[in-house]
């Protein structure tokens, strides 16, 4: 597997796993090392993670597309192999523990599945007149992110950040050579299975600031249950 695909897989796992609710993380990790762990929570964690990975990566088995159920089953198997010590460290918000978990799950998936970059078909981005957005939706020059953004990989700082609203993961922004567009900052909205209400789940902006602002705008719109309004030619926008 190419290094860039491996890095992308681990970044996506970091996003998908760390966005799980604190209740799920506590159930998975226990209240002491090896104590009161609820392993039934592994299945929903695996399903959420598989949904995220299959949206953005091409995952196959012996040359045939792998089902989301099959990917979820592999993720669940990897999570069942996590030691009690490592699982409990996750509840203590240890970045090193989360990194170890992502590497462990990624290694398991790489051993049983073929993973590659999914060819982009434009289906997840907004279709409108500039960079996927109408004029009233553009990020203004003075707009700044309001959430907490931190490096996706603490031991390898770079052009890869995850944004949080309190404990909730809003999304991720990054630049990678794989996209062959180094001047663009790509962004992803954290997937939790909720309706997108017309909002795109992925796109790009010209700067890290703009990409972070875009993630926050969409995240808070979804939290409020707001639909995206895109008007056709000749229509007027409501205030």
């Amino acid at each position: 597997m190419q290094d860039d695909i491996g890095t992308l897989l681990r970044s996506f796992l970091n996003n998908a796993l760390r966005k799980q609710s604190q209740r799920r993380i506590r159930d998975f990790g226990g209240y002491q090392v090896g104590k009161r762990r609820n392993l039934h929570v592994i299945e929903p964690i695996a399903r959420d993670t598989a949904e995220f990975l299959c949206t953005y990566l091409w995952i196959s088995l012996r040359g045939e597309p792998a089902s989301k159920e099959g990917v979820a089953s592999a993720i669940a198997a990897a999570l069942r192999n996590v030691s009690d010590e490592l699982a409990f460290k996750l509840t203590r918000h240890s970045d090193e523990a989360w990194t170890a978990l992502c590497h462990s799950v990624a290694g398991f998936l790489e051993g049983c599945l073929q993973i590659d970059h999914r060819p982009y078909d434009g289906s997840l981005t907004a279709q409108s007149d500039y960079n996927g957005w109408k004029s009233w939706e553009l990020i203004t020059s003075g707009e700044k992110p309001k959430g907490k953004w931190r490096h996706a990989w603490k031991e390898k700082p770079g052009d890869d950040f995850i944004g949080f609203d309190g404990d909730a993961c809003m999304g991720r922004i990054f630049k990678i050579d794989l996209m062959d567009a180094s001047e663009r900052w790509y962004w992803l909205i954290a997937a939790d299975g909720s309706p997108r209400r017309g909002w795109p789940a992925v796109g790009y902006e010209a700067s890290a600031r703009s990409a972070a602002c875009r993630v926050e705008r969409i995240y808070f719109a979804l939290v409020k249950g707001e639909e995206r309004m895109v008007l056709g030619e000749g229509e007027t926008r409501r205030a």
Side-chain angles (χ1 to χ4, degrees):
M1 177 175 296
Q2 301 175 33
D3 289 341
D4 49 11
I5 292 295
T7 298
L8 193 60
L9 171 62
R10 286 160 176 77
S11 292
F12 283 171
L13 283 169
N14 190 45
N15 194 340
L17 292 169
R18 295 190 74 156
K19 78 174 183 58
Q20 299 296 317
S21 69
Q22 290 301 304
R23 174 63 181 272
R24 282 185 179 180
I25 294 171
R26 174 62 70 184
D27 284 345
F28 178 71
Y31 289 80
Q32 296 180 38
V33 176
K35 301 295 185 180
R36 294 180 64 186
R37 293 188 67 193
N38 178 9
L39 298 185
H40 290 96
V41 78
I42 286 177
E43 297 300 331
I45 292 175
R47 286 195 297 270
D48 284 357
T49 304
E51 178 73 29
F52 190 86
L53 295 184
C54 290
T55 298
Y56 302 111
L57 296 172
W58 178 257
I59 305 177
S60 58
L61 176 63
R62 293 187 291 274
E64 297 295 328
S67 67
K68 291 181 182 178
E69 292 77 13
V71 176
S73 178
I75 294 170
L79 292 176
R80 291 191 188 96
N81 286 335
V82 173
S83 69
D84 289 344
E85 291 78 10
L86 176 57
F88 181 66
K89 287 180 180 178
L90 301 176
T91 70
R92 313 303 292 179
H93 306 290
S94 167
D95 288 334
E96 291 78 8
W98 281 106
T99 297
L101 176 68
C102 292
H103 282 303
S104 175
V105 176
F108 189 95
L109 296 181
E110 290 167 340
C112 60
L113 298 167
Q114 293 79 53
I115 303 172
D116 203 347
H117 177 240
R118 179 180 288 278
Y120 181 60
D121 61 6
S123 63
L124 293 176
T125 56
Q127 302 297 316
S128 58
D129 48 8
Y130 175 76
N131 194 24
W133 302 102
K134 293 294 186 182
S135 59
W136 62 83
E137 296 177 312
L138 300 182
I139 303 297
T140 62
S141 60
E143 189 170 347
K144 296 181 180 180
K146 300 176 182 176
K148 180 179 179 181
W149 290 84
R150 65 190 187 196
H151 288 287
W153 302 101
K154 184 177 179 180
E155 74 281 10
K156 187 181 178 182
D159 296 333
D160 195 331
F161 299 86
I162 296 177
F164 291 87
D165 172 34
D167 291 330
C169 176
M170 297 185 289
R172 173 174 168 244
I173 63 173
F174 60 96
K175 286 200 303 183
I176 54 174
D177 293 337
L178 180 65
M179 296 299 188
D180 193 28
S182 59
E183 76 280 6
R184 295 179 179 180
W185 278 82
Y186 287 81
W187 53 264
L188 301 169
I189 299 299
D192 62 1
S194 300
R196 291 210 307 269
R197 300 183 182 278
W199 297 100
V202 60
Y204 68 88
E205 295 287 341
S207 69
R209 177 191 61 80
S210 294
C213 289
R214 180 66 66 197
V215 167
E216 293 185 0
R217 278 197 191 183
I218 296 176
Y219 169 81
F220 288 116
L222 292 174
V223 168
K224 295 176 183 177
E226 295 177 354
E227 301 277 348
R228 183 184 181 222
M229 182 172 61
V230 179
L231 304 179
E233 185 176 356
E235 296 180 283
T236 58
R237 174 186 174 228
R238 295 193 303 271

